[in-house]
Amino acid sequence: MSYVVKEIFYTLQGEGRNAGRPAVFCRFSGCNLWTGREVDRAKAICQFCDTDFVGVGSDGGRFESPDALADAVLARWPGVRYGRADGGRPLVVCTGGEPLLQLDVAAIDALHARGFQVAVETNGTRHAPAGIDHLCVSPKAGAEWVQRHGSELKVVWPQAGLDLDMLEQADFTYRYLQPMDGPLQARHIAQCIEQCLARPAWRLSLQTHKVTGIR
Ligand code: SF4
């Protein structure tokens, strides 16, 4: 198996359960819900994407083996080594695009072998491989939703066609509503707050990387 990766970089996770936690982001190229080209956005299943996942960036690459991919991720983690599994363990966030088009058990094993906890951010259209330590699923209206259990359900809100009663039935440890970005963001934040107050099963997730200006 080879892997095509847009970019690999060290940052703080911006959103959801691990917000604020240092992590290596491994952004896989490609998505099954949009080509990533603006000319195709209006006819895409997912039309609100804010991420460039097309091709291979200057800090991405094509990796011919799980070990090559995991070595590239490890190279981005600062030289500190932690001996305790108390939250100081290195974290990699596999994202995209849609990471589950490429991420497999062999890559997860190779990342584990280098000491990483493996987090994944997926749109839920593919079943997740075994071994993921933190699985965040963000279903999209109009798309198939097959991965209905995991660590974190993160719903970009509002999305016409998604129903919170239905979403709440799925088996997740944490549930987040994250305001959709764009010109109506202030209204969307208010709507998310209103829903979280009315439905205590949900928490508010803000995109702190946009507030702080970090990558
Ligand atoms: S599913 Fe995710 S990566 Fe794909 S187009 Fe939508 S927001 Fe972007």
Side-chain angles (χ1 to χ4, degrees):
M1 175 75 181
S2 61
Y3 309 88
V4 184
V5 177
K6 172 73 179 183
E7 55 189 358
I8 305 174
F9 58 98
Y10 182 57
T11 186
L12 303 180
Q13 166 64 290
E15 47 188 63
R17 179 68 182 165
N18 283 319
R21 183 172 169 184
V24 177
F25 265 56
C26 179
R27 186 179 311 289
F28 288 87
S29 303
C31 182
N32 53 344
L33 300 185
W34 179 38
T35 64
R37 294 190 298 263
E38 286 302 326
V39 68
D40 296 328
R41 187 186 285 273
K43 59 175 187 265
I45 295 174
C46 182
Q47 299 184 356
F48 58 79
C49 188
D50 58 4
T51 305
D52 179 4
F53 53 76
V54 177
V56 177
S58 58
D59 51 2
R62 296 176 190 273
F63 302 97
E64 295 305 319
S65 70
D67 283 332
L69 174 68
D71 283 343
V73 170
L74 182 62
R76 304 309 200 282
W77 187 262
V80 184
R81 292 288 179 267
Y82 298 93
R84 300 170 299 168
D86 62 354
R89 188 174 166 192
L91 176 69
V92 57
V93 178
C94 298
T95 184
E98 175 44 56
L100 297 189
L101 299 177
Q102 301 190 62
L103 185 73
D104 57 4
V105 170
I108 294 168
D109 288 347
L111 290 162
H112 280 157
R114 287 154 181 81
F116 280 94
Q117 279 185 323
V118 178
V120 169
E121 307 246 340
T122 174
N123 60 28
T125 58
R126 299 286 179 111
H127 290 288
I132 295 168
D133 300 296
H134 186 90
L135 179 63
C136 174
V137 177
S138 185
K140 305 296 188 275
E144 193 178 15
W145 182 25
V146 302
Q147 183 60 44
R148 291 180 178 238
H149 60 89
S151 316
E152 177 181 342
L153 179 63
K154 186 172 64 189
V155 179
V156 176
W157 191 257
Q159 283 189 68
L162 285 190
D163 176 66
L164 290 183
D165 285 332
M166 181 271 292
L167 291 163
E168 219 168 291
Q169 302 307 311
D171 181 18
F172 288 86
T173 308
Y174 304 100
R175 298 177 185 81
Y176 286 92
L177 291 180
Q178 184 168 288
M180 186 175 291
D181 201 355
L184 298 179
Q185 189 191 39
R187 182 188 300 176
H188 298 159
I189 290 172
Q191 289 173 328
C192 288
I193 291 172
E194 183 183 344
Q195 289 295 341
C196 290
L197 288 172
R199 299 166 172 270
W202 297 86
R203 301 177 182 188
L204 180 67
S205 172
L206 297 176
Q207 294 183 294
T208 63
H209 50 293
K210 294 183 178 176
V211 176
T212 56
I214 62 173
R215 187 177 184 185

